[in-house]
Amino acid sequence: MSPTPHIVIVGAGFGGLTLAKALRDDPVQVTLIDRHNFHTFQPLLYQVATAGLEAESIAHAVRGIFHGQLNIDVRLGTVVGVDLDGRLLHVADGRPIPYDHLVLAAGAVTASFGIPGVDEHGFGLKSLEDAITLRSHVLRQFELTDADPSLADAGSLNVVIVGGGSTGVELAGALAELFSRVLAKDHPHLDLSRARIVLVEAGDRLLPAFDARLGAHARRVLEARGVDVRTGLTVDRVTGTAVHLAGGEELATGTLVWAAGVRASPLGAVFGVDTDRAGRVIVGPDLRVPGRPEVWVIGDLAAVTGITKPLPQVAPVAIQQAHFIARQLRRVRDGRPGGVFRYRDKGSMATIGRDDAVAELPFGLRFTGRVGWVMWLGLHLIELVGFRNRASVLVDWAWNYVTWDRGARIIVTPPAHAAGPAPPA
Ligand SMILES: Cc1cc2nc3c(=O)[nH]c(=O)nc-3n(C[C@H](O)[C@H](O)[C@H](O)COP(=O)(O)OP(=O)(O)OC[C@H]3O[C@@H](n4cnc5c(N)ncnc54)[C@H](O)[C@@H]3O)c2cc1C
C-alpha cells in the first residue's frame, strides 16, 4: 500500500458523499466518482415530478460540496469495470484508476421484474431525469387533451401508479393536489373528473414497511382526496394505452408510473462478484466482499450477510454504513481488529400530501396528520444538501402552501415513448 492510502469511492449518493466527507481530516487521498456531476436528494424526486419543486432545488453539484477539502479528487465518469487483482478501476473514457481501498456505493435502479411493457411504456422515479420526464409527460397529456378532448375517452388524463410504498403514496397524494388545485385552473375547459389517479398495490395494504394503522390512515386520506386505491392486485402487462391487471381488468391510462420496486445497480454483475437475486453485492457483516478485504460495498448496492434482519434500502442505512467504513479504515490504518456493522433504525416517514404525513419512530411512537407532516417537512429540510437548496425549498414550499400554486410546471423534455396518445407529428 502507498504511504497515503488511496480510497476510491464509486457513487456520490447518500453513502458515497457521506464517506467522502467523513474522511475529510484523515491522512488518505480520496477519489469520488459519479456518472453525474451532482448529488440527488431522492426522497424529494416526487415533488419535482409533480411540479412542486425545481429540479435544481434537490440536486447539488458534487464539486461544490467539497470546496476546501484538500484530500479529495472529484471525477465525473461512469465506472464500467474493475481489475480486482491489479486493483484498477475502469472508467468509460478515462484512464484506469488505481486504488488501495475501493468502496462501491452505486445505489439501485428501477426494476420492472420482466413484466411485459413496463420498460417500454412506464415511467420510473429513480433519478432527476426520471422526475423531469414524468412531469413533462403528465403536463403534455393535459395540453394534448385540451386541444382534443376526445383523447380523454381513451384515458389520456389518467395516471396509474403501481406500488403502494412510500414513493407511490407520496406521488399519488401530490398528483391529486396538482390535478385538483392547479391543472383544474390551468385547463378550465377540461372535465377534470375524467382525470383519475389509480394507485395499485399487490399486497393487501399501503405502506407495507410501516405499522398497519399508518397504512390504513394513508389509504383513507388518499381516497378522501380522490385517489382510487386498489390493493391485492398485480399487473400482468402494460401496453401503450392501458395497464392490464391479473384477473382481466384493464385500466386505460395515459401515464403509468412504476414505483413497485428497485434492483441494485448492475455494477455488481459487471464486477463479477457474487450478488443476490436483486443484484446486490454480497458482503460480510463488516461490509467487505469475501476474499477481497480492500473492496467494500454500502447502501442500496450491498446485501449484508451474517445479520439477523435484512436491511431496508433507505438513506439512513447508506449514511450509517459510510460512517462505519470511515471508522473501519482508521482501524485498518492503526492495525486494530475490525468490527461489524449494526444498523440503528431511527424510524420512517412518508407524506400523503398537504397537512398530512405518517411517521413511525422508535419506542412505538407514531404520528399522523399535521404533526407528522411538520416533522416530515423539518427532517427533509435539515437533510437536504446545501444552504441554497434548503432556502429555495423552504421558499417554494411556503409559496405552494399559501397560494396552492405549483411554479415548476414546465415541459422541458421531448415526448416520451410511453403510455398515452402519441403527440401529433
Ligand atoms: C423516489 C424515491 C424516494 C425515496 N424516499 C426515501 C425516503 O423518504 N427516505 C429514505 O430514507 N430513503 C428514501 N429513498 C431511498 C434512498 O434514496 C436510497 O436508499 C439511497 O439513495 C441509497 O443511497 P446509496 O448511496 O446506496 O445510493 P444513491 O443515493 O442512489 O447513489 C448512487 C450514486 O451512484 C452513481 N452511480 C451509479 N452507477 C454508477 C456508475 N456505474 N458509475 C458512476 N456512478 C454511478 C449514481 O449516479 C448515484 O449518484 C427513496 C428513493 C427513491 C428513488
Side-chain angles (χ1 to χ4, degrees), residues 136 150 159 206 219 232 291:
S136 296
S150 72
V159 177
L206 297 183
R219 181 175 194 144

Side-chain angles (χ1 to χ4, degrees), residues 240-256:
T241 52
V243 175
H244 295 262
L245 301 175
E249 192 182 350
E250 185 182 325
L251 302 172
T253 188
T255 309
L256 165 72

